[in-house]
Each structure stands twice: as C-alpha cells, then as structure tokens.
Amino acid sequence: MITVRNLEKHYGGEAVLRDLSFSVEAGEIFGIVGHSGAGKSTLLRCLNGLESYQGGSVRIMDREVAELDNEGLKALRRGMGMIFQNFNLMGRKNVFENVAFPLQIWNRTKAETKDRVSELLELTGLADKRFERIHNLSGGQKQRVGIARALALNPGILLCDEATSALDPETTLTILDLLQDINSRFNLTMVVVTHQMEVVKRICGRLLFLDKGQGRSLGRTEDLFLSSEKTLKKFMEEEYTLLPSGTNIRIMFPREIARQAVISAMARELDIDFSIVGGRLERYLDKVMGFLIINVPDGSLENVLRFLQEKNLPREILDDGRDAVERPR
Ligand SMILES: Nc1ncnc2c1ncn2[C@@H]1O[C@H](COP(=O)(O)OP(=O)(O)O)[C@@H](O)[C@H]1O
Ligand SMILES: [Mg+2]
C-alpha cells in the first residue's frame, strides 16, 4: 500500500528525514512514534505529496509520488484522508457543512452529498449534531467531525497526525476505538503518527520509531513489551529510581497471570524480603500486560531467578553492566 525506501528530505541545508525505509500493508494500522521535531508531520506531507523529497522513493499504491503530475496528485490526495491535532475545521460552519465540503469540491450532487454526510454522521456518532456549529462542540466531537470529513470521499488510506494529542485521556480512548472500528469495518489502511506511546500501542499492529529523521522498526506491537531497547525504554518513561544495593529485576507478565499471586508465592516459598521498586499494567492492543520491578538482596538472587524460571516469567536484570534480557526457555 505504502512503500518508503531510503527517503531523504531536507529543508535548506537541514536534513529532516534521513535514509528512511518502511512499508505499510493494506488494511493495517501502522504506528509512527517519536518526539516532537522528529519529522513525523513532514513524513506525512511527503506521503500525500504536499512536500517534495530530495532522495529515495515514496510509492503509494504502486505509484511514485514524485512522478505524479497535478491530476495525479489530486487523485492521490482524494484517496488519502487526513486528520489533525487541531482538527482544521471551519469553526463558524456547522457539522454538515464541514463534512460536505470535500464532496462539494469534487462536484457531487446535492442528493449524493446529503446521503453520504448522513452515513458518515451515523458512523461517527454525530447524527444529532448535524446542524451544530463547530465551535459549540467538545474536542472529541470535533475530531469525530474531522474523521467524518476525512472519510467523505472513501479514501483507501487515512493519515492521522497527532489526532488525539489535544484530547483528554478518556476522549482519546473513544476516538481510538472509533478509528479501530472503522479500520476493521472497512479494512481502511491507517498511518497513525503521534508522540504518545499510549496511543500507538493501543491500536497499531506494527510500529516505527522515528528519531531525528531516522526510522527504526519496532516490529509488532505485542512484541514491544518484551523489548529491552534503551532508547525506547527511556521514551516510554520506564526509568525508575533503582535501589543502589542488591539486584533490581524487572519481571514481565506477558499473559494475564495474576501478578499478586506470583509475588506472594515467591515471598512465601523462598522466605525472603524483597522490595517493590515500581511497576504498572499496560494495554497492548487487546492484551493487558504488566511488569513489576523488585529489588532482591544479594544472597537471594539465585533463588529468585530460579523461581522465575520455573514460573516461566521473562525477567531482566536492570543494574548497569548486567543489563540483558534473560528469558526462560
Ligand atoms: N516548512 C519547514 N521549513 C523548515 N523547517 C521545517 C519545516 N517544517 C518542519 N521543519 C523542521 O523539520 C523538523 C521536523 O518537523 P516536524 O515534521 O514538524 O516534526 P514532528 O511532526 O515530528 O514534530 C523540525 O526540526 C522542524 O523545525
Ligand atoms: Mg508534528
């Protein structure tokens, strides 16, 4: 669907995207995560032909974007919907007028436009807001309008640029659920760009980490949990203050094992005192997984490691110099 190979993008002398390669398959929700300034928005503008690029290749449905003429670019953009952090809606117009806008640009008849807008408002849960002015809507409702408008011309691809970054966590979840629902109902390919790890790991099947214009594939989202890559950990703010003595161990609960039960069994069976440094439960796609960081006194380390191995729990020793994931066979 989308193939990017060795993409180079400069503004003046400054390289913004460097030797970037990845591909997005039809029907998947592909996530691109990275800090502010990493080049995410620039990348999306290269995909939809709003920006030129200086090297490499961007192919959308087997056509090289740089080789498209004006007509080709128009068709490309019609086939790609886009939603934004600040919604980019016409604030003084109503919901209907905003969603109808692309249909009018492409000369759909009044009747066609009315039908299509009704369908879209139904889909996005806005049927009762049809004639509401945009500036009377909540952030979540505005983004629903943005989504309805982006889908008006039946695009094959939806580009989402920080689409939930202006929303509170609860509203973010409702918008992500809507995107997921649309993806599975219409098999719509989505590229979700954000600085929020929470967002991509909730709905994206595969992830790319964009760092100063360079990409690193993070693979499948469910595998991310077990990854021990340093930059990524830091990005995910998993830096806990480790205790200086003893050994700090991160225990992962990749299946929905009752964490509390394992921990109390360990304390009981091994008869040791360990302290809990930190931990949390996280949701990756539809799975809930958790980790816990414990600190074990020196004399008990071997027993604890053996216990974890017996329980088949992946764990990682976090102290400097001994930093490697060791998984049970
Ligand atoms: N039109 C532009 N002209 C010059 N530099 C730009 C332009 N757009 C973005 N940049 C620069 O490119 C880099 C990446 O920006 P951007 O793609 O907006 O990052 P992100 O979306 O990941 O926050 C930044 O350093 C930014 O200052
Ligand atoms: Mg951006």
Side-chain angles (χ1 to χ4, degrees):
M1 201 75 174
I2 300 174
T3 309
V4 173
R5 286 285 162 260
N6 312 108
L7 179 63
E8 301 279 341
K9 167 77 195 167
H10 312 274
Y11 286 118
E14 198 197 339
V16 176
L17 300 173
R18 291 179 288 169
D19 197 21
L20 182 61
S21 300
F22 65 93
S23 56
V24 180
E25 308 299 330
E28 82 172 318
I29 308 185
F30 187 83
I32 300 174
V33 64
H35 296 290
S36 165
K40 305 182 295 297
S41 297
T42 304
L43 170 61
L44 289 186
R45 291 198 304 271
C46 289
L47 298 185
N48 68 11
L50 282 176
E51 288 278 0
S52 59
Y53 41 92
Q54 282 73 46
S57 156
V58 177
R59 296 187 81 81
I60 311 284
M61 291 180 267
D62 278 331
R63 303 185 67 189
E64 182 69 36
V65 174
E67 289 166 6
L68 296 174
D69 58 13
N70 269 344
E71 284 306 305
L73 276 176
K74 267 196 192 164
L76 175 79
R77 284 185 208 131
R78 189 184 50 196
M80 280 187 165
M82 187 150 174
I83 56 175
F84 307 87
Q85 174 167 9
N86 56 6
F87 320 119
N88 284 15
L89 301 170
M90 300 177 285
R92 274 187 283 199
K93 306 244 170 184
N94 67 29
V95 170
F96 181 94
E97 291 165 319
N98 270 275
V99 178
F101 187 66
L103 296 158
Q104 288 160 350
I105 298 268
W106 285 88
N107 297 319
R108 299 296 152 85
T109 65
K110 273 211 164 113
E112 271 177 312
T113 301
K114 211 169 144 217
D115 285 352
R116 182 66 183 142
V117 173
S118 298
E119 220 170 77
L120 290 160
L121 295 185
E122 202 62 50
L123 176 72
T124 50
L126 291 169
D128 58 331
K129 300 281 181 236
R130 195 179 183 89
F131 299 116
E132 196 70 66
R133 293 276 187 89
I134 295 301
H135 62 214
N136 293 334
L137 300 179
S138 69
Q141 290 166 338
K142 284 180 189 163
Q143 195 56 289
R144 285 169 189 274
V145 179
I147 292 169
R149 184 186 57 182
L151 299 180
L153 297 163
N154 269 313
I157 299 172
L158 181 68
L159 306 177
C160 309
D161 193 357
E162 303 278 5
T164 57
S165 299
L167 306 175
D168 62 67
E170 219 169 290
T171 311
T172 292
L173 292 185
T174 65
I175 294 296
L176 295 180
D177 285 348
L178 176 62
L179 290 174
Q180 203 163 35
D181 178 49
I182 290 168
N183 165 262
S184 59
R185 272 212 242 177
F186 306 110
N187 202 38
L188 179 64
T189 309
M190 297 186 182
V191 180
V192 173
V193 156
T194 174
H195 69 282
Q196 295 171 302
M197 200 66 193
E198 289 303 310
V199 166
V200 286
K201 74 185 177 41
R202 180 136 182 145
I203 63 166
C204 299
R206 289 190 306 137
L207 296 181
L208 179 83
F209 181 47
L210 193 63
D211 189 20
K212 299 188 188 88
Q214 289 188 301
R216 195 149 25 128
S217 168
L218 300 178
R220 297 184 325 149
T221 302
E222 55 253 57
D223 298 335
L224 188 67
F225 181 72
L226 296 176
S227 142
S228 74
E229 223 186 313
K230 275 232 168 91
T231 19
L232 187 64
K233 282 260 172 66
K234 212 166 163 184
F235 185 82
M236 293 169 76
E237 292 165 339
E238 283 183 15
E239 304 267 288
Y240 289 87
T241 309
L242 301 177
L243 301 183
S245 64
T247 305
N248 297 289
I249 306 174
R250 180 168 122 121
I251 307 168
M252 288 162 264
F253 298 86
R255 291 168 301 278
E256 291 170 43
I257 295 174
R259 181 163 67 154
Q260 205 48 50
V262 171
I263 293 306
S264 38
M266 185 163 88
R268 204 169 48 237
E269 280 181 38
L270 303 181
D271 190 25
I272 57 162
D273 284 323
F274 54 85
S275 31
I276 290 176
V277 178
R280 67 171 179 240
L281 288 171
E282 296 187 6
R283 192 173 147 156
Y284 289 79
L285 297 172
D286 54 351
K287 296 196 195 84
V288 176
M289 304 197 261
F291 70 87
L292 191 70
I293 299 172
I294 61 171
N295 181 276
V296 178
D298 287 335
S300 309
L301 181 61
E302 249 178 72
N303 283 341
V304 168
L305 294 181
R306 193 177 317 119
F307 177 89
L308 294 174
Q309 173 129 13
E310 280 165 12
K311 297 285 182 227
N312 231 357
L313 289 172
R315 42 79 182 170
E316 179 183 4
I317 293 178
L318 298 174
D319 303 271
D320 284 336
R322 289 181 283 175
D323 193 344
V325 175
E326 299 176 48
R327 291 177 205 180
R329 277 163 289 142

